[in-house]
Amino acid sequence: MNVNVAAERMKLTVDGRTVEVRPGATVLDAVNRLEIALPQLCKDHDRAPLGACRTCLVHVEGVRGVPAACHLPARDGMVVSTEHPDAVRVRRGVLDLTLSMLTPSAERDGFGQLGGAAERHELARPTWTPLHQAPIDGSKSFFVLDREACILCGRCAVACDDVQHIGAIALLGRGHAMKVGVARGGAMATSVCTSCGQCVATCPTGALRPKDAAAPIARRVETTCPYCGVGCGIELGVRTDHRLAVMADDVPVNRSSEGMLCVKGRFGTGFVHARDRIRTPRVRRDGRWHEVGWDEALDAAADGLARHHGRFGALASAKATNEDAYVIQKFVRAVMGTNNVDHCTRLCHSPSVEAMLVSMGSGATSNSYQDYEEAGCLMVVGADASANHPVIAIRFRRAMKRGAKLVVVNPKRVELCDQADLWLQPRPGTDVMLFNAMARVIVDEGLADADFIARRTEGVGAWHTSLSEATLERAAAVTGVSAEHIAQAARWYARPPVSGSCLIWGMGITQHTNGIHNAHALLNLSLVAGQLGRAGSGISPLRGQNNVQGCGDSGCIPTNLPGYQKYDEPTLRHFEREWGLRPPAMTGKVVTEMVEAFLSGEIQAMYVVGENPLLSEPDLHHAEKAFDQLDVLVVQDLFMHETAEQADVFLPAAAFAEKEGTFTNSERRVQRVRKAIDPAGDARPDWWITAELAKRVARRLGRDVSTQFAWRSASEVFDELARLTPFLGGLSHARLDREGGLQWPCPTADHPGTRFLYGETFPLGKARFIPALQTAEAAELPDPDFPFLLNTGRLLYHWHGGTLTRRVEGLMELAPRLEVAIHPSDARRLGVDTGAPLRVSSRRGELTGYARVTEAVRPGALFVPFVKLADSAANFLTNPAFDPASKIPEYKVCAVRVERLTAA
Amino acid sequence: MSEKILSRNFGVKDSHTLKVYRETGGYTALAQALGREPAAILDEVKKSNLRGLGGAGFPTGMKWSFIPKNHSGPVYLVINADEGEPGTFKDRYLLERDPHALIEGMIIAARAIKSALGFVYIRGEYVEPWRRFTAAVREAYDAGYLGQGFDIVVHRGAGAYICGEETGLISSLEGKKGWPKVKPPFPAIKGAFGQPTIVNNVETICCVPHIINRGAAWFAGLGSKTQGGTRMYSVSGRVTTPGVYEESCAITLRELIERAGGVSGSGRLKAVVPGGSSAPILAAHEIDVVMDVDGLRNAGTMAGSAGVIVFDDTVSIPEALMVVARFYAHESCGQCTPCRESTGWIYKMCHRIVEGKGRKDDLDTILDVAKRGAGTTICAFYDGAVGPYISYIEKFRGEFEALCQR
């Protein structure tokens, strides 16, 4: 059938001008298309109209009265006037009433959109006086609620409830007694508000406004958030004084975040301007730092590293760009002659990646965020998405609103538990038994996807035999979860009420000595139920760092070349042709092994980029000893952190807002990072620094790299990465600028990108069931000396170790000190209340924190976030025992004791 | 005096029970309706000239016909029993004294619109009507009238007038704040829980069994040319015998006041509100008006919910307006700026006028803000408030001016 495109358009006349709109458009859409200034106070430009402010009134020929344009359907042939005397008269009356609600104040810079509309309607002074007065609520760290500037348009309530699904603020009461507020009428800080700022961004009058002084914005730059792996689009405001505005805007067209942001993305970019940014290269001589020029610093670093060719390791940064990562691994492999290059995935998702590689042949999230929303069941295991991936948590809440079942598996009562249909609270370390029992329910009750298993998998027989022990009764006894709940979770997962199921997991699965078994147990579950490879289903390890996906993709792992290519002869030859130097064929060391190799002397020089292992490694005292053994340590970063303090050379790097590049997020979407401001001081982009270093080391080693490391821009680096990585082959900076972020695999320039993996086949051909066995629950369990079980994790207001977020004042205000979550029964026994100082110690170290008495943890368990606050960090306590297969340390379980400290 | 149709059992002992309802011919219409095609029932109701008796007076059959023909999901029937219009109490009588008439009417209406689920939204303050009605629903389930392809859910309001507005009622029913919704889409297309929904008043649906039993022509003949049937008038204020009177829609206001025993108090009529508090007021000389939808519209007011409030000449019109203004200021949902701010300000001004602190230009200010805001809001609430603001002041301006001496 031929579709007549012209017939799908409607022609209207607005103020004598003709405009075309699509069916379904409103008259306001037509007005806005012509850029006619018509007030629309309650309309967020990327949300449906609310229709409450009644200021977009227009005159329409043949229509009685003055309808509101925002919900008047446009019709072909309509003749609309925004300037008709009736419309202007009535609109002016409504604006007058609106303006009358507000109390002018010197503290404010006008009334935003309302001020402009009033001016255009020649309303200098309103007829009425405000019916209410109210003091400013300044209880939140980043913004205020100033009700005397509020016109009750409702946009903030929609932002909180319908966009973020948080529901902290609402329009309370009714009629002219109505006001914006929180439950029980308290201050904003008493509510469940997460400071995401979605309300501040949409407020048309400045009633909700940032606390920092409004500075003129010179330009806005769209880029990608530097915090977690969700990869939200953010728009940085660059002020006329070349600093970033405290508040970044959201990007509605970004397909990963759809205009949503969390507190860190919205308000957390200020670390770029931190006073202690290192702006000049430094070299340590006679135990003291000396500020030097780039040549001197790079030569000093090159001298040191060249001495240890082959006895060298590098830790790349999952915070830096794909381009930065690519250059580092090329330097390590081509110049330093080793595959000893790794990044922080070792400490978070290496068991997931290893297990997925073994079972399926690819180590990435199979689905897109969109699939969470289309799923009928979401099973979230060992992940606190509300704190660590807040925008993904919004997707979960949206799915639930549409009727999806949420099953949360977590020993700790994370926020999602309160929203879940079912919360399973297994004993830490018993996950394999739990998921094997679920798998058995699926098989025994005939819920398995027999067709999928037959066509797409192998090894089901041996695996099925391995489940013999995992009866419901036994699983209930081992895990502490009732048989009924295990079975219910299995049924919902295998046969959701609609669509498919998504399996989502975090560090709670991986950071165990049996991490890889845990991961396999989950993967087997997805295979037996056939819940991957189509819309609304999939397997998702939630990635912690902004570019942890991309850092691995670009080759910063010791086991594979860029694009997860193997060290086989044809590939090595291909890289040799491209690079002029042959990468070594032997698998390198992972970061935990590198640290051990410092002690044995196998590694004597280390290049650490954008990482702080002396905060993130387990058992920090031990790690410090290992770092002491190094002959040469070169650190490249923004700040002088714990590891940098030990370095011989410090190379100051540009921050995300100061350079060009790309990040790849958890849904494999490659997105642009753009330069908004010049680097601080003499700081330089990481790829440039590494390339300069590589050239200098090569010269000292007598290798010819004249045609290599000669890029003139990040875009050229990306082109080389894309040329060598088949699944990125169709991407370039220019294409990403044109089309927005795209999801790999995207092998050719005309390929649209890939929403979900494994639709037809697995990289291995068929996926493999790998029997997973329940081993000892943990390497170290409570005993009479150390009777508590310590669990670690993260906080919403701090990011990982806190290197960035500690430098954002407003975030520090929201979470100023290290809190130790303790169950009320234990707190009673110790005689402590919330806020009491505590000392927590393990066999390896101790920390000081403050009690937070909560039922979120079990009796006998403690939770401490691994952020370092006031010199206390959880990793002084944690156990370096690691999973033999993936080498991940067991951060999630160790034994500690806790004592009350008398206040000094 | 016309034949009693809806109120025929009001004087009968235990009229609210299934036993008495059946003895007086109850559920015979249902038996007939079950033998007819939905389209035939709809046609009968259309021909009967039945119009909505909750306030808007929209032709009932036409409303039913707006349900999309090929809709595959559920269709809901919602009964608006949130009777909150000041001066109106006829639905309360029906719920208390003849609840099975509503249930029977609902089952028939549901057949016409192909609905399997009905909601009855009962005003929160109506405790006894709610008890009687839920007891009747239980009886109807036990007797097998309900639960055979049609179910009823009873939902209680929580004291907001705005929930009597059909989209506000739907929001409240959905568990949200009772805020009216932007139209279009109209509820018949996208109503409760996003599905096509017919919202009808209690009294409207109570007429349906009679139309089926005795035919559209008979029902149409009871009323005026454009509105069939009788109507339950709630008569209150200064009359000798306040109460609910079932009369033909063709009755005049003067006759109706006489039915209620004539004007009490001083015995001298000053004014009448003919259709609930939102209806513009009529002066004493305007009461020879026919009380159907069109008759009252032509007289510049409205039939509304047929709540007739009679004022004798001892009543102060400014004081009456202050009370009305206080009501609208208190009940505005607060969503739309003109309504929220104007109702607040107009009450404030009426209050100061009654206190003798009014300014000369206050009356024109009220008229200006009232007229400018009319028709600009999401729902008809503010228009309902504007009716009294304008009519009280324009018809009795002298009384107001006497109080505004500053």
Side-chain angles (χ1 to χ4, degrees), chain A residues 80-161:
Chain A
V80 179
S81 167
T82 67
E83 294 159 346
H84 189 283
D86 284 354
V88 173
R89 183 178 53 84
V90 176
R91 198 191 307 134
R92 195 169 183 278
V94 177
L95 283 170
D96 188 5
L97 283 166
T98 312
L99 201 62
S100 299
M101 297 170 69
L102 310 182
T103 308
S105 151
E107 279 183 53
R108 272 182 243 114
D109 183 24
F111 293 118
Q113 289 179 28
L114 175 60
E119 218 166 89
R120 285 197 302 279
H121 289 74
E122 290 162 2
L123 268 168
R125 189 175 295 171
T127 307
W128 317 83
T129 52
L131 287 162
H132 304 286
Q133 255 79 44
I136 290 180
D137 180 347
S139 63
K140 299 297 292 186
S141 65
F142 287 110
F143 52 86
V144 299
L145 168 59
D146 175 2
R147 294 187 181 89
E148 292 187 353
C150 173
I151 59 167
L152 299 172
C153 67
R155 282 165 66 164
C156 56
V158 168
C160 194
D161 209 19

Side-chain angles (χ1 to χ4, degrees), chain A residues 451-750:
Chain A
D451 180 56
F452 181 89
I453 294 169
R455 284 189 306 112
R456 307 283 310 272
T457 70
E458 57 193 31
V460 68
W463 169 74
H464 189 221
T465 314
S466 75
L467 297 182
S468 61
E469 298 248 300
T471 61
L472 275 177
E473 297 67 35
R474 219 177 117 68
V478 170
T479 63
V481 180
S482 77
E484 192 190 327
H485 282 174
I486 298 174
Q488 180 64 70
R491 288 177 200 133
W492 274 341
Y493 178 73
R495 295 285 163 90
V498 292
S499 183
S501 291
C502 287
L503 190 51
I504 299 127
W505 68 94
M507 307 306 71
I509 277 297
T510 56
Q511 290 176 340
H512 290 281
T513 44
N514 56 351
I516 200 155
H517 286 280
N518 288 343
H520 274 303
L522 284 175
L523 298 179
N524 293 336
L525 198 62
S526 74
L527 293 176
V528 73
Q531 292 294 4
L532 68 172
R534 59 199 155 83
S537 73
I539 49 172
S540 314
L542 289 180
R543 312 307 303 257
Q545 304 230 23
N546 54 331
N547 197 38
V548 68
Q549 182 67 51
C551 197
D553 297 347
S554 306
C556 290
I557 45 175
T559 47
N560 299 80
L561 289 160
Y564 305 100
Q565 294 172 88
K566 293 203 175 71
Y567 301 125
D568 55 25
E569 189 48 37
T571 312
L572 290 171
R573 214 177 301 131
H574 180 54
F575 273 81
E576 186 177 4
R577 260 200 312 279
E578 284 283 342
W579 288 355
L581 294 162
R582 188 180 171 87
M586 207 175 68
T587 297
K589 290 185 194 311
V590 304
V591 62
T592 29
E593 289 171 327
M594 288 188 225
V595 173
E596 295 308 314
F598 301 168
L599 292 166
S600 68
E602 255 185 286
I603 289 181
Q604 297 187 7
M606 189 75 188
Y607 178 39
V608 175
V609 180
E611 283 291 339
N612 185 7
L614 288 183
L615 183 58
S616 53
E617 286 289 306
D619 187 3
L620 290 175
H621 293 308
H622 174 77
E624 273 170 27
K625 263 181 245 150
F627 270 81
D628 278 349
Q629 302 301 309
L630 284 172
D631 181 39
V632 177
L633 175 61
V634 177
V635 168
Q636 183 170 313
D637 212 307
L638 309 186
F639 302 107
M640 190 58 70
H641 49 60
E642 290 81 354
T643 312
E645 296 286 3
Q646 311 290 319
D648 302 289
V649 181
F650 185 99
L651 306 171
F656 84 105
E658 300 165 345
K659 62 182 179 185
E660 300 286 335
T662 53
F663 292 155
T664 305
N665 70 8
S666 261
E667 60 171 356
R668 294 167 279 104
R669 191 182 299 283
V670 184
Q671 306 194 98
R672 282 282 277 124
V673 174
R674 295 190 182 88
K675 181 176 166 178
I677 49 175
D678 287 331
D682 285 338
R684 293 278 190 277
D686 289 275
W687 66 265
W688 181 91
I689 303 172
T690 309
E692 285 301 310
L693 189 59
K695 285 187 267 190
R696 287 165 208 252
V697 175
R699 210 176 305 135
R700 283 163 177 73
L701 295 173
R703 288 165 198 238
D704 173 24
V705 292
S706 53
T707 59
Q708 304 294 330
F709 302 97
W711 309 282
R712 283 162 304 174
S713 67
S715 165
E716 287 184 2
V717 179
F718 190 89
D719 290 343
E720 184 174 321
L721 165 67
R723 201 165 60 238
L724 283 165
T725 306
F727 63 68
L728 300 176
L731 299 179
S732 65
H733 281 200
R735 186 174 175 201
L736 295 171
D737 285 338
R738 219 165 41 238
E739 300 178 29
L742 291 166
Q743 290 172 284
W744 67 252
C746 181
T748 56
D750 57 357

Side-chain angles (χ1 to χ4, degrees), chain A residues 227 271 612 615 639 797-808 812 866-869:
Chain A
Y227 282 101
F271 66 84
N612 185 7
L615 183 58
F639 302 107
Y797 301 112
H798 282 293
W799 195 77
H800 289 195
T803 303
L804 305 181
T805 48
R806 270 199 313 269
R807 292 176 166 87
V808 179
M812 275 307 276
F866 69 81
V867 58
K868 182 175 185 180
L869 294 168

Side-chain angles (χ1 to χ4, degrees), chain A residues 346-349 351-352 381-385 387-389 409-414 426-431 505-515 518 542 544 616-619 777-782 788-795 800 844 857-858 860-867 874-875 877-883 888-896:
Chain A
R346 198 59 47 201
L347 307 181
C348 58
H349 264 304
S352 312
V381 185
D384 184 0
N388 304 324
H389 305 88
V409 182
N410 209 314
K412 183 183 167 215
R413 181 171 174 165
V414 294
R427 276 212 296 278
T430 63
D431 304 273
W505 68 94
M507 307 306 71
I509 277 297
T510 56
Q511 290 176 340
H512 290 281
T513 44
N514 56 351
N518 288 343
L542 289 180
S616 53
E617 286 289 306
D619 187 3
E777 291 174 18
E780 183 182 77
L781 285 168
F788 281 86
L789 193 146
L790 175 74
N791 177 16
T792 69
R794 287 168 283 175
L795 291 180
H800 289 195
R844 293 157 294 275
V857 294
R858 292 161 168 266
L862 302 177
F863 175 86
V864 181
F866 69 81
V867 58
N875 284 331
L877 311 179
T878 48
N879 189 352
F882 55 71
D883 173 32
I888 194 166
E890 187 155 67
Y891 287 113
K892 287 293 177 189
V893 186
C894 72
V896 296

Side-chain angles (χ1 to χ4, degrees), chain A residues 50-54 57 71 73 89-90 92-94 97-98 101 128-129 131 151-152 171-176 178, chain B residues 159-160 177 179 182 184 329-338 340-342 344-345 348-349 365 372 376-378:
Chain A
L50 302 180
C53 75
R54 317 312 289 179
L57 305 170
H71 53 76
R89 183 178 53 84
V90 176
R92 195 169 183 278
V94 177
L97 283 166
T98 312
M101 297 170 69
W128 317 83
T129 52
L131 287 162
I151 59 167
L152 299 172
L171 296 175
L172 307 178
R174 70 185 188 204
H176 59 92
M178 191 161 84
Chain B
K177 196 166 178 172
W179 273 7
V182 165
H330 184 248
E331 296 295 344
S332 167
C333 82
Q335 195 175 188
C336 302
T337 304
R340 179 187 63 235
E341 299 304 314
S342 303
W345 264 105
K348 215 172 155 175
M349 292 169 78
T365 305
R372 274 211 249 188
T376 65
T377 49
I378 290 176

Side-chain angles (χ1 to χ4, degrees), chain A residues 816-836:
Chain A
R817 55 191 198 175
L818 198 65
E819 289 186 337
V820 178
I822 182 167
H823 190 270
S825 62
D826 296 323
R828 252 195 315 277
R829 235 187 14 256
L830 286 169
V832 296
D833 285 329
T834 288

Side-chain angles (χ1 to χ4, degrees), chain A residues 221-226 231-236 248-251 254 257 260-261 264-266 269 656:
Chain A
V221 179
E222 188 188 321
T223 184
T224 304
C225 176
C232 299
I234 58 173
E235 192 181 82
L236 299 171
D249 209 349
D250 46 76
V251 179
N254 183 293
S257 58
M260 301 175 277
L261 284 182
K264 295 186 286 279
R266 176 93 58 192
T269 52
F656 84 105

